[in-house]
Amino acid sequence: LCYDETESLAARGEIESKMAMVREVHHRVKNNLQVIASIMRMQARRVVGQEAKSALEESVNRILSVAVVHDFLSHNAEGLINLRDVARRIVEQTKKGLIDPEKAIKFSIRGPDIWLPAERATQCALVLNELVQNAIEHGMAHSDEGSVEVELVDHGEEVTLVVADDGQGLPADFDLERDSNLGLRIVRSMVERDLAGELKLTSTLGTRATIRFAKSI
């Protein structure tokens, strides 16, 4: 029996070519986002007011958190992203950008590899960035040492994402709707609107933010 694979090979070649183009697009998007972040970081160094400086630094981290996902997509154009890898990169760049080297704040990531569609991973990257940033800037604001832990739990069709710190905790009368800063408002909006999930904040020894959402869109 003879079988002509000409059309099949041509189709595979065309698919591989298109996938290479998609990877290149994600690579360029990642590079462009990093350039924008670098320009904003330079601007932050020139700003005199601390409030404006902090706002620019937070915006830099938000841009870089999106760049993380595009970086992974530049190597894997099929669109599935490992949430654990995203969490690790978010923690690393947040430490680098916001932690005073003299402070002894430890970070840890627990949980299995969890693969999500690119859109879901991007939303999680932004949420993770805000929660880790919030833990550092508010939970650890008056501490020279402490810990921030990111925990991932795979429930099959759903995911639980936890960011916990052992800092000063929330005020006794804290109300998520009334007292949220910009970061928590972003988290709440993305969890409820984009992830169609649930956000819960608790405070005992520090603060614990728990998010649960479905893997599929």
Side-chain angles (χ1 to χ4, degrees):
L1 294 175
C2 295
Y3 175 68
D4 189 352
E5 286 192 337
T6 304
E7 291 186 5
S8 178
L9 289 171
R12 283 203 296 270
E14 185 177 352
I15 291 172
E16 289 174 2
S17 176
K18 288 181 178 178
M19 295 292 276
M21 290 176 62
V22 171
R23 288 194 295 270
E24 178 62 22
V25 167
H26 285 297
H27 179 71
R28 293 188 182 187
V29 170
K30 183 260 297 185
N31 287 346
N32 289 339
L33 289 171
Q34 289 179 334
V35 169
I36 293 170
S38 296
I39 293 171
M40 292 180 67
R41 188 176 282 125
M42 291 171 61
Q43 184 66 42
R45 295 193 189 103
R46 295 173 177 268
V47 170
V48 177
Q50 184 57 43
E51 185 176 351
K53 183 181 181 70
S54 297
L56 283 168
E57 289 174 346
E58 290 173 3
S59 296
V60 166
N61 279 342
R62 290 178 184 124
I63 292 169
L64 290 177
S65 67
V66 177
V68 165
V69 177
H70 283 285
D71 187 27
F72 285 120
L73 287 171
S74 69
H75 297 93
N76 176 20
E78 294 179 2
L80 287 178
I81 306 295
N82 188 343
L83 182 57
R84 182 180 172 84
D85 289 341
V86 171
R88 177 179 52 78
R89 290 278 292 276
I90 293 294
V91 166
E92 286 175 357
Q93 69 185 23
T94 305
K95 283 170 56 179
K96 186 177 180 181
L98 296 178
I99 294 292
D100 185 338
E102 296 183 0
K103 289 191 174 185
I105 297 177
K106 298 179 180 179
F107 292 82
S108 62
I109 300 172
R110 295 195 298 129
D113 294 335
I114 300 176
W115 296 88
L116 297 176
E119 183 178 351
R120 227 56 172 163
T122 302
Q123 294 156 353
C124 287
L126 286 166
V127 167
L128 266 169
N129 175 74
E130 297 299 333
L131 291 177
V132 172
Q133 193 163 270
N134 210 59
I136 294 169
E137 293 184 342
H138 299 284
M140 301 295 175
H142 306 293
S143 303
D144 291 330
E145 58 181 316
S147 64
V148 177
E149 181 182 84
V150 176
E151 182 181 3
L152 308 174
V153 183
D154 191 343
H155 302 286
E157 296 300 320
E158 292 186 325
V159 175
T160 294
L161 170 61
V162 179
V163 177
D165 66 72
D166 59 358
Q168 62 185 0
L170 299 170
D173 60 345
F174 179 84
D175 182 87
L176 182 60
E177 186 169 350
R178 182 191 65 214
D179 303 322
S180 295
N181 55 29
L182 176 60
L184 285 179
R185 289 200 297 272
I186 291 173
V187 170
R188 184 183 176 195
S189 175
M190 296 202 70
V191 169
E192 294 179 355
R193 183 194 62 200
D194 301 319
L195 291 172
E198 298 177 350
L199 167 65
K200 183 179 180 182
L201 285 179
T202 56
S203 186
T204 50
L205 298 175
T207 304
R208 183 180 180 89
T210 305
I211 296 165
R212 184 158 179 160
F213 59 93
K215 288 181 181 179
S216 59
I217 298 174

